[in-house]
Amino acid sequence: MHWRRIVETGGGIGALVTALWTLTAAQGPAPTSRILRQPIAPPAIDRGLLDDGNVTGPRHKVAHRQSRRMGSTATADYLRGRVIVKYRTNVSAAGTGRRTSASAASRPSWADFDVVAIDPALDPVRVASELEASPDVEYAQPAYVVRPHHRPNDPLYDRQWNLQEIGMEAAWDINLGATSAVTVAVLDSGLAFQDAVYEFTAVEFTDDGVRYPALGNVTVPFAAAPELSGANRFVSPHDFIWDDDSPVDMDGHGTHVAGTIGQVTDNGVGLAGVAFNVRLMPIKVIAGDWDDIFGSPNVGTDDVVARGIRYAADNGAKIINMSIGRDGPAAPVITAAMQYAVSRGAFIAVSAGNDYERGNPVEVIAEAAAPIEGAMAVASVGRGLRRAYYSGVHDYVEIAAPGGDTRSGGSAAGVYQQTFDAAFTDFFLEPPSRYGPPRFDVFAYRAFQGTSMAAPHVSGLAALLFSQGITSPAAIEAAIKQFATDLGPTGRDDEYGYGLINPRATLRGLGLLQ
Amino acid sequence: MARGALGAAVLRRLARVGGVLGLGVSLAAPAAAQAMAAGSRDPGTGRAAVIWTATNVPACAPASAKDILVVCPSVRAARQPRPRPAVPARSREPTFTVQGFVHAGFLGFSSTEALTAVYDASGGFLWGGGARVGHRAGLFVQAGASRFAVDGERVFLFEGQVFNLGITSRLTVVPVDVSGGWRFRPAPRPAPPVAARVRPRGPRRWIPYVGGGAGFVRVTERAEFSEAGDDFEERHVSYHVMAGVDVPAGRWLGAGIEAGWRWVPDALAGDGIAAAFGETDLHHFVVVGRLTFGR
């Protein structure tokens, strides 16, 4: 914050140099700077679907991403008075009808079946059943009423099994993506919300014994993700890693997560999000690899996360998504912050962790969320709606949502959203010879998997519920649990919690009788 | 002589009329008796004027008509068109009567919390109709149906707090039942012999009744955005008692009021908000006004 403010307000170069020197000296050899060179940038580049079979795997620990610096971590209605009947060849409709309750039949246009009139007082289901028992009838069924389901026109929506499996189309019939009155805070690695060019200083680092050279001062272009941006889409952004109000994403995780919550939908482009009309509050509390390399003043520690939670609650967020976590000792500072946020009327969704096959450690933030009425720990299911191989199994798991499982479905079983094209960002995964500065203005639709991808489904549903009228965090949690589709053993269990989220049923609530 | 003949004729007429309008004459008798006891004279003739009560005119009229001017308050009535033959009241009704009726009124459920949560009401307007077959003795059997409907919106209940979800829902309750009971017809009065000019006054004959029976109640709840199996429609056995009063308004028309209580056990035993409130029965009381047709 301080550096950018100096530049933006035309502060003296001397002050900048002095400040830079001071910070550099304080942090040793790694210079910590982020300079806004241009408040605008060339338009984002949309590279479209990246379906190369590579799926960004589950992030096993936030600390793991920070290892470079740390050195080690959900009976239709039918019309009376008619049934639909398909007779077998050379069979008289009237003849069959006499044996049943059916009477006159008519053949509508563009049909190879008949519509048979029956006494309106009769039950079409029973009549159809009678007809179907006849050897002359191929099939018979009531004329069930078909209703429109909101199906997004986004061309890649077909790939979003994750939304289809939880019945989002029917849910959108009830609540079409919430409203801009609902703000969802995304506490993550930042968000591609801004067109800008920043200058950073990249120092050398070593990864697994491989030394990467210092890049010196580099200008890095940023662009708002085309599928996230829109008028007044972003509200109260804040960066607790760089201590300013530009929580630009230098990882892609936060942008992907935000996409599941609020990807622009029905715009004929790309993919859909769960609650696509909400406003997004980007809050950066996690440092990505490039943040590390560029020497961000902070990393994602308990205090930073706690401050982020409190910031979100104090700035009007009603839903807080935290696709982050760590194992180890308890984090009372985060627990207290979550309790504060819930007391301020914010619902919190926390990913339950991806390390089932790595010893299934207790995820501290998810564990802290479970006892709080208004905060939920979210496990992940794959395309077959079975627990994803990585999803943590714990007594604090409260609910499950699609997070992807490429082991049982390949890349198509990942969760697709728009984020950075890794080919332009992840140079630190390349050999040093191909290592170079990133650009965060090239986007693609990529498949990720992890409980990080599951949590935003719950956050999106919570946003829909909030706009539907359930404004208490505790009530939102209770509703999500009550209407969940039970998976695994009957009742709550450690794999799926209370089951898979069921957005439509949750949004419909209850009538007197059903 | 002429006077005597006139007097006899008047008295004969009076006797006939009195037989038809017995009740009215009886009502007039106390005043006449007072006048007779006091005695008086006719201001025009100076004869003794005695006011006869209807019951003692036939016995003394032929002998005393010559000298006594019979002054009867109902003498004009005796000149009215010839009345119908006196027929005992009960015998005017057929053995069996058939009536159709329509009714409208108010229904109030016993399960108030759940209904109020979803429909912001625990009762409301009810309408319906039916038919009744009655025996002259008082026994009757009737069949009827009613319809109650109320609109609300689906909710979510959490720790006693109701969150309205803005999804329109309609509850329809249709009781269909058969009742049997007894109508308490007024006891027949002895036919008084004379009752000129006196017509029935005061309230019409009110016929109270009580009864009970059984039937079923069809309960339907439909809401927006319903899909397969979402809407609720069930029938439940019901039992009821009722009491009311019929007020004949003519030979073919009548009115009345009825109140009743219907037991509909386990009609709310679904998965809805009623279960959350621990309410399982759809018992209700009904108060209706009724119009009847037929006799």
Side-chain angles (χ1 to χ4, degrees):
Chain A
M1 179 179 80
H2 305 108
W3 304 125
R4 185 182 310 164
R5 199 165 278 165
I6 289 168
V7 173
E8 289 176 342
T9 56
I13 294 176
L16 176 60
V17 171
T18 302
L20 274 170
W21 173 257
T22 303
L23 188 58
T24 302
Q27 296 203 346
T32 303
S33 68
R34 175 162 73 165
I35 302 171
L36 179 62
R37 288 299 181 192
Q38 295 179 70
I40 59 170
I45 299 168
D46 185 352
R47 298 240 302 159
L49 178 68
L50 279 188
D51 193 16
D52 54 5
N54 294 322
V55 179
T56 299
R59 301 289 180 87
H60 293 291
K61 288 180 181 61
V62 172
H64 179 69
R65 293 209 315 262
Q66 297 171 345
S67 61
R68 294 174 200 283
R69 177 172 297 187
M70 300 305 194
S72 57
T73 141
T75 359
D77 285 346
Y78 49 75
L79 292 183
R80 289 192 175 276
R82 67 175 68 174
V83 290
I84 298 167
V85 184
K86 174 74 185 316
Y87 294 98
R88 299 187 191 282
T89 311
N90 300 326
V91 173
S92 156
T96 304
R98 277 193 294 273
R99 292 196 293 273
T100 66
S101 309
S103 53
S106 63
R107 172 65 58 91
S109 56
W110 292 290
D112 67 344
F113 53 83
D114 294 315
V115 175
V116 179
I118 63 171
D119 183 344
L122 295 174
D123 178 6
V125 176
R126 183 177 298 172
V127 173
S129 175
E130 290 175 12
L131 285 165
E132 211 157 34
S134 166
D136 301 331
V137 174
E138 188 174 325
Y139 63 79
Q141 65 156 87
Y144 288 113
V145 177
V146 179
R147 294 188 172 84
H149 278 168
H150 183 86
R151 185 179 177 85
N153 63 11
D154 305 77
L156 297 177
Y157 176 72
D158 284 344
R159 289 182 173 268
Q160 293 189 281
W161 63 270
N162 51 309
L163 300 184
Q164 296 165 40
E165 293 271 14
I166 58 173
M168 280 311 304
E169 293 174 30
W172 286 324
D173 285 344
I174 299 173
N175 190 310
L176 194 56
T179 70
S180 60
V182 183
T183 298
V184 181
V186 181
L187 272 66
D188 213 288
S189 62
L191 209 158
F193 79 104
Q194 185 181 45
D195 297 334
V197 176
Y198 285 95
E199 182 179 300
F200 296 95
T201 301
V203 299
E204 71 170 40
F205 66 92
T206 300
D207 186 29
D208 291 337
V210 179
R211 179 180 169 276
Y212 288 79
L215 296 176
N217 290 343
V218 294
T219 55
V220 181
F222 290 82
E227 282 280 86
L228 279 178
S229 48
N232 300 316
R233 190 73 200 280
F234 305 107
V235 56
S236 303
H238 193 78
D239 192 331
F240 286 94
I241 298 300
W242 291 85
D243 286 332
D244 60 21
D245 291 334
S246 292
V248 288
D249 192 359
M250 287 191 272
D251 181 277
H253 186 268
T255 299
H256 194 284
V257 166
T260 297
I261 297 169
Q263 191 95 158
V264 176
T265 302
D266 264 343
N267 61 338
V269 177
L271 297 160
V274 174
F276 44 82
N277 290 318
V278 298
R279 301 178 80 179
L280 296 169
M281 182 186 292
I283 300 176
K284 187 168 178 172
V285 295
I286 297 298
D289 296 295
W290 281 111
D291 291 288
D292 290 341
I293 295 168
F294 292 152
S296 61
N298 304 302
V299 295
T301 50
D302 288 357
D303 57 322
V304 168
V305 173
R307 291 169 60 211
I309 296 170
R310 290 174 181 273
Y311 175 88
D314 287 345
N315 283 275
K318 293 305 176 189
I319 314 294
I320 299 175
N321 188 87
M322 295 171 62
S323 293
I324 58 177
R326 71 163 177 83
D327 55 17
V333 67
I334 294 179
T335 304
M338 287 198 292
Q339 290 169 336
Y340 172 77
V342 170
S343 73
R344 298 273 296 177
F347 171 87
I348 304 172
V350 182
S351 54
N354 302 327
D355 292 331
Y356 177 73
E357 293 186 340
R358 297 174 181 240
N360 193 34
V362 171
E363 288 286 331
V364 171
I365 301 178
E367 185 185 39
I372 301 173
E373 289 190 356
M376 299 184 83
V378 186
S380 172
V381 297
R383 195 165 188 171
L385 301 182
R386 302 181 68 169
R387 183 183 67 83
Y389 69 89
Y390 51 81
S391 185
V393 179
H394 295 282
D395 58 3
Y396 55 74
V397 170
E398 295 180 275
I399 200 73
D405 185 347
T406 56
R407 279 193 193 170
S408 57
S411 61
V415 174
Y416 280 88
Q417 284 300 340
Q418 186 178 54
T419 188
F420 302 126
D421 184 343
F424 294 83
T425 60
D426 292 356
F427 294 118
F428 47 77
L429 299 177
E430 301 288 341
S433 60
R434 297 170 62 181
Y435 172 64
R439 54 186 305 176
F440 298 106
D441 61 348
V442 184
F443 296 88
Y445 301 102
R446 296 172 58 194
F448 282 17
Q449 63 178 348
T451 53
S452 285
M453 281 63 251
H457 288 80
V458 176
S459 292
L461 172 56
L464 297 178
L465 290 170
F466 192 91
S467 69
Q468 193 72 24
I470 305 180
T471 53
S472 153
I476 290 173
E477 174 173 342
I480 290 174
K481 286 178 177 175
Q482 179 173 338
F483 294 101
T485 303
D486 194 12
L487 296 178
T490 303
R492 203 212 78 83
D493 59 75
D494 290 352
E495 289 188 275
Y496 306 98
Y498 288 87
L500 180 70
I501 58 169
N502 187 336
R504 176 183 177 274
T506 314
L507 287 166
R508 277 189 94 235
L510 291 172
L512 178 70
L513 301 163
Q514 192 160 311
Chain B
M1 183 66 201
R3 274 186 202 143
L6 175 62
V10 167
L11 289 173
R12 281 195 296 272
R13 289 197 171 206
L14 283 171
R16 291 192 194 116
V17 172
V20 175
L21 304 174
L23 179 61
V25 171
S26 298
L27 291 171
Q34 282 182 350
M36 181 177 68
S40 63
R41 289 197 173 273
D42 180 70
T45 62
R47 295 177 187 167
V50 176
I51 299 174
W52 293 83
T53 64
T55 51
N56 60 3
V57 167
C60 57
S64 58
K66 182 176 179 181
D67 301 317
I68 300 173
L69 173 64
V70 176
V71 178
C72 177
S74 301
V75 68
R76 285 191 200 167
R79 294 171 184 159
Q80 295 296 315
R82 185 185 185 91
R84 294 175 184 172
V87 179
R90 281 216 162 196
S91 66
R92 295 173 62 193
E93 286 195 6
T95 304
F96 290 100
T97 58
V98 178
Q99 290 180 315
F101 60 84
V102 294
H103 60 238
F106 181 83
L107 175 151
F109 293 100
S110 62
S111 300
T112 57
E113 282 190 298
L115 274 153
T116 303
V118 181
Y119 296 101
D120 200 24
S122 58
F125 179 73
L126 174 85
W127 61 274
R132 177 166 66 190
V133 177
H135 187 270
R136 187 171 57 195
L139 185 68
F140 71 87
V141 174
Q142 75 176 33
S146 306
R147 186 177 189 277
F148 164 83
V150 62
D151 291 332
E153 59 182 79
R154 294 174 71 87
V155 300
F156 178 68
L157 176 70
F158 177 68
E159 292 182 346
Q161 186 177 0
V162 176
F163 296 92
N164 294 313
L165 299 179
I167 299 173
T168 302
S169 181
R170 165 167 283 208
L171 176 72
T172 306
V173 177
V174 179
V176 177
D177 42 36
V178 176
S179 312
W182 192 269
R183 301 176 80 209
F184 300 95
R185 304 184 61 87
R189 294 178 181 279
V194 177
R197 188 182 168 86
V198 178
R199 295 177 183 273
R201 286 182 183 164
R204 297 277 185 180
R205 294 176 301 169
W206 288 23
I207 307 174
Y209 62 89
V210 296
F216 66 87
V217 174
R218 193 185 74 179
V219 184
T220 308
E221 188 175 36
R222 298 184 186 280
E224 285 183 288
F225 311 116
S226 292
E227 288 188 346
D230 284 342
D231 288 334
F232 187 95
E233 179 174 346
E234 281 189 359
R235 289 181 182 183
H236 299 274
V237 174
S238 66
Y239 314 93
H240 67 276
V241 293
M242 82 276 197
V245 61
D246 289 332
V247 183
R251 190 169 183 180
W252 295 95
L253 288 174
I257 187 168
E258 180 180 297
W261 178 265
R262 185 176 284 112
W263 290 270
V264 194
D266 298 327
L268 301 182
D271 297 326
I273 206 77
F277 279 105
E279 296 176 327
T280 57
D281 303 323
L282 201 59
H283 306 328
H284 56 270
F285 73 88
V286 175
V287 177
V288 294
R290 174 183 281 193
L291 286 177
T292 58
F293 312 90
R295 55 172 302 184

